[in-house]
């Protein structure tokens, strides 16, 4: 049974019809007292609550009801309803424990998906303190693809993926650069009901502000000077599937507003067209930044954070799961040998001890690069600690043994720029923030140059 709390009888009727068509029983009340009385006398699966059902209190009564529900029925999902202009009120409700919020006027798909997601999460809460099952047991139930490891920290992540993948909940994946956030997004998609739909990856840090709308929402021919043909945007490409918004923390303020609109309403307008289009997507976002700190500094919108952060998954850095390093190293060794057509390489005990002792600031990506370089330069197929020390020495600042740029005059400016970016990527183990800082440019500028020079990261 779904309880609707709103003082408007027409809202009762329209939401009730929608819920009935979706297969849910429902009931409706108009005020806080009646809501608590009804909850005390009936079994309830979720509450759809208007934040302004008492107009004269400007949301205070709605917040009071939410606090009372959370205190009395802490496991009961509550979905807030509010006008677009009152989103800060909904964010305040999310801080108090509401599961989601939708804006009026709503779309029917939006309401049904929100209810389905809330009920799905209630049935399988992502409890980080739950007893950890073995990797074999998890692999029997789910497809985690390239997420290699048996460390308890990783197993907790895999358990959460397994619990929430079947819902449509928006997920924010956090962690340092190189920890495998894209692999988590792919695993969520593979284990979801959208697995047969598209999986669209978007590196938001690489999209210039002026091209954001065109890239994300598409454009029609003639929308701007260089729009010679129609373009389908990333959200439309992801319809029926999952969109992975990588580097979400790099969005500028203007783009954040546009992103919030489409994530909230699941509607957008193609650049150059006045027609509003609907999209059905599951959103997984990722960042290596602390978005709560960014909210405090004014660099990131709090309402966008709460829209993205229905479920949070944090990936531990490699230095906190050292027991997985041998598993990852052996997997990378086999893939590197296949990629370069080399055979017979093995990791000696001394090599594994060396790898396990390193800090790996670039995490899994840095480990893979180290394995690859060792395979390419080691004199013998049995890789030892000495081989990896030599590889590490090549990348130290001031090293003159290898990887020097040719003399001036033998390279064009573009070639020099490309070589410096590649060299910096190797030196910083793929950490794009450090690369951008070392080269004296912003991350978006670095992304543009990486794309321009077709550099593989």
């Amino acid at each position: 049974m779904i309880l609707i709390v709103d003082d408007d009888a027409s809202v009762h009727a329209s939401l009730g019809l929608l819920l009935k068509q979706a297969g849910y029983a429902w009931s409706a009340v108009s005020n806080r007292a009646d809501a608590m009385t009804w909850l005390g006398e009936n079994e309830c699966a979720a509450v759809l609550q208007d934040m302004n059902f008492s107009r004269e209190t400007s949301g205070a009564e709605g917040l009071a009801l939410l606090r009372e529900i959370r205190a009395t029925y802490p496991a009961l999902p509550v979905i807030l309803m509010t006008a677009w202009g009152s989103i800060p009120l909904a964010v305040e409700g999310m801080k108090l424990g509401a599961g989601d919020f939708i804006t009026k006027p709503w779309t029917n798909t939006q309401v049904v998906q929100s209810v389905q997601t809330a009920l799905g999460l209630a049935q399988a809460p992502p409890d980080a303190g739950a007893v950890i099952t073995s990797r074999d047991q998890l692999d029997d139930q789910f497809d985690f693809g390239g997420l290699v490891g048996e460390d308890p920290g990783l197993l907790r992540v895999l358990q959460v993926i397994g619990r929430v993948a079947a819902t449509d909940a928006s997920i924010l994946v956090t962690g340092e650069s190189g920890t495998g956030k894209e692999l988590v997004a792919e695993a969520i998609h593979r284990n979801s009901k959208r697995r047969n739909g598209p999986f669209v990856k978007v590196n938001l840090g690489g999209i210039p502000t002026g091209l954001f709308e065109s890239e994300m929402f598409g454009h029609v021919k003639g929308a701007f000077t260089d729009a010679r043909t129609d373009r389908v945007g990333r959200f439309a490409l992801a319809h029926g599937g999952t969109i992975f918004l990588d580097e979400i923390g790099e969005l500028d303020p203007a783009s954040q507003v546009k992103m919030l609109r489409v994530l909230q309403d699941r509607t957008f307008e193609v650049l150059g067209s006045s027609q509003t289009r609907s999209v059905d997507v599951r959103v997984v976002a990722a960042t290596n930044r602390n978005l709560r700190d960014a909210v405090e500094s004014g660099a990131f919108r709090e309402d966008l954070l709460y829209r993205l952060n229905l479920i949070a998954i944090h990936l531990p850095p490699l230095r906190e799961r050292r027991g997985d390093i041998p598993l990852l190293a052996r997997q990378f060794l086999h893939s590197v040998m296949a990629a370069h057509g080399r055979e017979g390489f093995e990791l000696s005990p001394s090599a594994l001890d060396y790898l396990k002792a390193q800090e790996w600031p670039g995490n899994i990506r840095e480990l893979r690069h180290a394995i690859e370089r060792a395979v390419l330069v080691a004199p013998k197929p049995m890789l030892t600690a000495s081989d990896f020390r030599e590889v590490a020495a090549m990348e130290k600042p001031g090293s003159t043994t290898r990887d020097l740029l040719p003399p001036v005059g033998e390279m064009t400016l573009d070639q020099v720029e490309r070589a410096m970016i590649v060299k910096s990527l190797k030196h910083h183990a793929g950490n794009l923030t450090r690369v951008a800082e070392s080269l004296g440019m912003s991350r978006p500028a670095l992304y543009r140059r990486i794309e321009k020079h077709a550099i593989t990261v």
Side-chain angles (χ1 to χ4, degrees), residues 429-444:
N431 187 312
L432 297 180
T433 298
R434 294 178 183 174
V435 171
E437 290 173 351
S438 69
L439 296 176
M441 63 178 70
S442 66
R443 280 179 63 108

Side-chain angles (χ1 to χ4, degrees), residues 117-131:
T117 297
L119 296 179
L121 293 177
Q123 293 168 4
D127 181 6
V131 176

Side-chain angles (χ1 to χ4, degrees), residues 121-276:
L121 293 177
Q123 293 168 4
D127 181 6
V131 176
I132 300 173
T133 55
S134 71
R135 179 63 194 255
D136 287 341
Q137 289 175 308
L138 288 168
D139 285 337
D140 286 342
Q141 301 176 63
F142 307 105
D143 175 12
F144 294 119
L147 285 165
V148 175
E150 299 175 351
D151 180 86
L154 179 65
L155 293 186
R156 290 189 185 94
V157 169
L158 300 185
Q159 283 185 276
V160 174
I161 293 173
R163 289 191 181 103
V164 304
T167 74
D168 269 328
S170 297
I171 295 177
L172 179 64
V173 186
T174 61
E176 297 177 7
S177 292
T179 49
K181 296 186 287 293
E182 183 176 322
L183 294 176
V184 169
E186 291 173 347
I188 291 168
H189 177 70
R190 276 197 309 276
N191 292 282
S192 74
K193 60 188 178 183
R194 298 173 178 269
R195 65 181 66 88
N196 294 323
F199 178 77
V200 176
K201 298 179 286 186
V202 187
N203 191 325
L204 294 171
I207 300 177
T209 301
L211 296 179
F212 177 82
E213 287 186 89
S214 175
E215 287 288 330
M216 301 306 298
F217 311 136
H219 64 248
V220 298
K221 181 180 178 180
F224 49 89
T225 302
D226 293 326
R228 296 182 176 88
T229 60
D230 291 352
R231 177 187 177 90
V232 179
R234 306 294 183 89
F235 273 99
L237 290 173
H239 183 74
T242 303
I243 189 166
F244 174 50
L245 304 174
D246 198 9
E247 303 291 357
I248 188 73
E250 303 304 318
L251 277 183
D252 64 275
S255 298
Q256 289 178 35
V257 174
K258 296 166 186 172
M259 182 66 76
L260 178 61
R261 278 283 188 177
V262 69
L263 297 187
Q264 172 57 42
D265 299 334
R266 294 299 195 267
T267 61
F268 64 92
E269 292 181 358
V270 175
L271 191 61
S273 169
S274 60
Q275 180 182 357
T276 299

Side-chain angles (χ1 to χ4, degrees), residues 333-379:
L333 183 63
H334 287 110
S335 63
V336 166
M337 286 192 295
H340 293 284
R342 311 201 72 180
E343 298 179 354
F345 282 85
E346 296 181 39
L347 292 162
S348 69
S350 71
L352 291 174
D353 288 343
Y354 173 86
L355 296 175
K356 289 174 66 177
Q358 305 311 301
E359 288 301 303
W360 302 115
N363 292 292
I364 295 171
R365 185 185 294 123
E366 183 183 3
L367 174 62
R368 189 189 187 337
H369 287 172
I371 298 291
E372 184 171 27
R373 291 194 294 268
V375 167
L376 293 174
V377 304

